[in-house]
Amino acid sequence: MDLLIRGGTVVGEEKQRRADILVREGKIVEISETIVPPGGHDVVDATGMLVLPGVIDVHTHYGMVGARGVRTADDFYQGSVSAAAGGVTTVIDYADPMTGESLPEAALKRRLEAEEGIAIDFSLHVVVSKFGQQDVPELAALAEQGITSLGEIFTSHPSLKIDTEDLRLLLVKARDAGILATMHAEDDLLIQEAGRVLRQAGQDDKQYHGISRPIEAEVTAIKGLIEMAAELECPLYIVHVSSGEGAKAIADARRAGLLIMGETCPHYLLLNEGRYRETGAALYIMNPPLREAANNDALWAALADGTLQVVTTDHCSYTRQQKEASSLCFEIMPGVPGSETLLPLLYTEGVGKGRIELPRLVQLLSSNPARIFGIYPQKGTIAVGSDADMVIFDPVKEVTITALEQHSAAGYTLFEGWKVKGYPRLTLLRGQVIFRDGQFCGERGAGRFIPAHKGQIL
Ligand SMILES: [Zn+2]
């Protein structure tokens, strides 16, 4: 049956307007001021509500086995339920090849694993930690499978790090195959050195986490990558930029005409390293770390002026017990949950506080990620012919964020006790209501793999 969304304010990349939306067989078929459908139809009354495109979180780690063999708490099902509760209708997760496995094999295996549980739509990035001439044909095979991004490629982390020569070849061949490389930028040598100094001084408690991975490591890595991208004439996308200086390096590169893009996360916008000296510090450990508060403002400015194009969460949910298994900054599992609070936080702290405009919010959370990762206009916009992925968002609903009402298996949130004004009432995936006022009403395994085409450079 058709679905009519009536009376809402529809928000696009450029502007917002009052309009009705008609949905048929999972697609948007009409948008106009007043729609009176001829036949039978269900109605969603969106009077007083914002109608936003479904949020696309392009950086999640569901059921990921971390470096020490510890698996993240949210599997594809639970993670996607939590995401849907926050208005997220598509995620891009990671396929990480095992030794001896080709990139397309790893991607297919991960796709099948996801399809068993995931309740929202998804795409995949493929992790590359080794790359030689013999691997070049695998890139074309990936693109044929509908996978057009790689990452996150590490410049830190001894076991995941790619050799510089491998990386240079990879960047060129990926570009030629229409595939975007996404990079985790932290300089390995600087992190090793900071760690050595701390260990020598016996300073290995969680309060030293920030110092163990200094801003300098991020900035050095970003600058090195930019230099490489410039020399090779390749585009690059930097994941989770955590510092104002890191963002500035990207801004300078873009001004010089280089094809560098980047994302940040709510925790880098809203929290600071003071958390590492408070109780519960282990819960706040992620890589790169939280920074001094001045970086928050610099990153908001980078979102507003176009230096950074996307906000993601790096949702990597370990439980409190998993996080607190050690008190040493070098041993605590890095990663935090976040998809469920992404939209309410960005709306409250961004739009509500005048840091960004409403259409910019839609760009950062929906249309830009869809464009960059090659799933636009099927995803990321409210337009005739697009998938009917939408959030009916109540701009005046006040909620105090608490882990008790979150749906992640992590069992905690970095934003416990935060008050937000503006919250999703209803999440629609291809015309189906999958979340309504705190209740999940979607289906395990109903999420689909969305084949990506070559993305845009923004
Ligand atoms: Zn990540």
Side-chain angles (χ1 to χ4, degrees):
M1 199 186 311
D2 290 0
L3 175 71
L4 178 66
I5 299 164
R6 196 166 54 197
T9 297
V10 181
V11 188
E13 290 172 85
E14 306 294 338
K15 56 183 187 341
Q16 61 209 68
R17 62 166 174 147
R18 240 268 329 117
D20 292 352
I21 299 170
L22 189 65
V23 174
R24 184 171 300 146
E25 288 167 5
K27 298 274 186 194
I28 295 168
V29 293
E30 191 184 345
I31 305 169
S32 59
E33 209 169 306
T34 314
I35 301 176
V36 185
H41 55 273
D42 291 329
V43 176
V44 169
D45 180 9
T47 309
M49 302 285 143
L50 300 176
V51 185
L52 308 173
V55 172
I56 302 174
D57 188 352
V58 302
H59 194 155
T60 63
H61 298 280
Y62 296 149
M64 181 192 80
V65 181
R68 270 150 267 152
V70 182
R71 186 181 283 273
T72 54
D74 282 319
D75 60 10
F76 278 100
Y77 175 67
Q78 184 103 35
S80 61
V81 169
S82 172
V88 177
T89 51
T90 302
V91 289
I92 310 187
D93 207 277
Y94 294 84
D96 193 355
M98 303 202 319
T99 315
E101 216 171 36
S102 74
L103 304 179
E105 279 166 357
L108 181 61
K109 196 167 91 182
R110 186 70 168 160
R111 175 180 165 176
L112 296 174
E113 182 193 343
E115 281 171 341
E116 273 182 29
I118 198 161
I120 59 177
D121 288 351
F122 72 102
S123 177
L124 294 169
H125 312 284
V126 178
V127 181
V128 186
S129 49
K130 249 195 180 77
F131 192 78
Q133 202 66 48
Q134 70 284 357
D135 305 316
V136 172
E138 294 185 10
L139 295 174
L142 271 187
E144 223 157 278
Q145 265 176 277
I147 292 176
T148 57
S149 57
L150 304 174
E152 48 192 300
I153 299 166
F154 280 80
T155 53
S156 68
H157 209 298
S159 65
L160 301 170
K161 191 169 153 252
I162 187 164
D163 284 346
T164 305
E165 278 319 300
D166 286 17
L167 179 57
R168 293 174 64 92
L169 178 68
L170 177 65
L171 291 184
V172 170
K173 297 300 177 185
R175 175 202 64 197
D176 294 349
I179 291 178
L180 178 66
T182 77
M183 309 293 306
H184 178 123
E186 285 186 290
D187 184 83
D188 191 37
L189 288 176
L190 290 173
I191 288 173
Q192 301 287 338
E193 178 56 18
R196 197 187 57 77
V197 171
L198 285 173
R199 282 190 171 96
Q200 230 166 34
Q203 296 176 327
D204 53 6
D205 186 77
K206 39 196 179 302
Q207 65 175 293
Y208 298 104
H209 180 58
I211 304 167
S212 76
R213 306 179 81 95
I215 283 182
E216 197 193 352
E218 175 171 88
V219 176
T220 302
I222 290 178
K223 286 186 174 167
L225 287 166
I226 287 172
E227 219 168 277
M228 196 185 285
E231 186 199 333
L232 302 173
E233 296 178 26
C234 291
L236 270 188
Y237 178 97
I238 312 285
V239 301
H240 50 47
V241 176
S242 68
S243 66
E245 244 187 287
K248 184 177 177 302
I250 294 173
D252 291 345
R254 290 173 64 85
R255 224 169 289 125
L258 301 178
L259 309 177
I260 311 293
M261 299 176 283
E263 67 181 35
T264 189
C265 311
H267 40 270
Y268 301 122
L269 293 164
L270 300 172
L271 302 173
N272 65 69
E273 61 166 15
R275 297 281 171 160
Y276 296 132
R277 295 184 290 275
E278 296 172 6
T279 33
L283 303 182
Y284 292 83
I285 286 190
M286 80 288 283
N287 298 336
L290 299 174
R291 309 298 192 183
E292 280 173 21
N295 292 281
N296 300 149
D297 289 340
L299 290 169
W300 279 112
L303 291 178
D305 71 14
T307 297
L308 300 177
Q309 295 73 40
V310 179
V311 182
T312 64
T313 65
D314 198 2
H315 184 97
C316 184
S317 62
Y318 295 106
T319 62
R320 182 181 286 271
Q321 198 184 14
Q322 286 172 321
K323 295 288 279 186
E324 291 180 342
S326 169
S327 67
L328 305 183
C329 69
F330 302 110
E331 287 181 6
I332 293 167
M333 296 306 298
V336 298
S339 291
E340 192 164 344
T341 47
L342 171 61
L343 171 60
L345 285 170
L346 255 274
Y347 183 83
T348 302
E349 297 292 327
V351 179
K353 296 195 174 166
R355 289 157 160 154
I356 51 171
E357 303 281 337
L358 190 50
R360 183 64 181 157
L361 176 88
V362 163
Q363 290 173 17
L364 295 168
L365 296 184
S366 301
S367 55
N368 286 356
R371 286 176 185 278
I372 292 169
F373 294 101
I375 54 175
Y376 186 95
Q378 182 182 356
K379 302 293 187 188
T381 183
I382 297 176
V384 171
S386 295
D387 283 357
D389 297 351
M390 285 173 274
V391 188
I392 311 300
F393 188 85
D394 184 344
V396 296
K397 183 176 178 183
E398 295 186 36
V399 170
T400 301
I401 293 173
T402 170
L404 289 173
E405 284 170 22
Q406 296 271 307
H407 299 79
S408 163
Y412 77 94
T413 157
L414 298 187
F415 299 95
E416 184 69 38
W418 280 55
K419 290 185 182 10
V420 290
K421 186 175 176 186
Y423 214 81
R425 288 267 183 203
L426 202 97
T427 307
L428 286 161
L429 175 71
R430 287 180 268 105
Q432 301 289 317
V433 177
I434 58 168
F435 220 94
R436 187 193 294 267
D437 287 325
Q439 290 299 316
F440 175 67
C441 33
E443 215 181 302
R444 181 188 287 268
R448 288 185 194 159
F449 174 75
I450 305 299
H453 45 83
K454 183 177 183 225
Q456 284 173 248
I457 309 288
L458 296 183

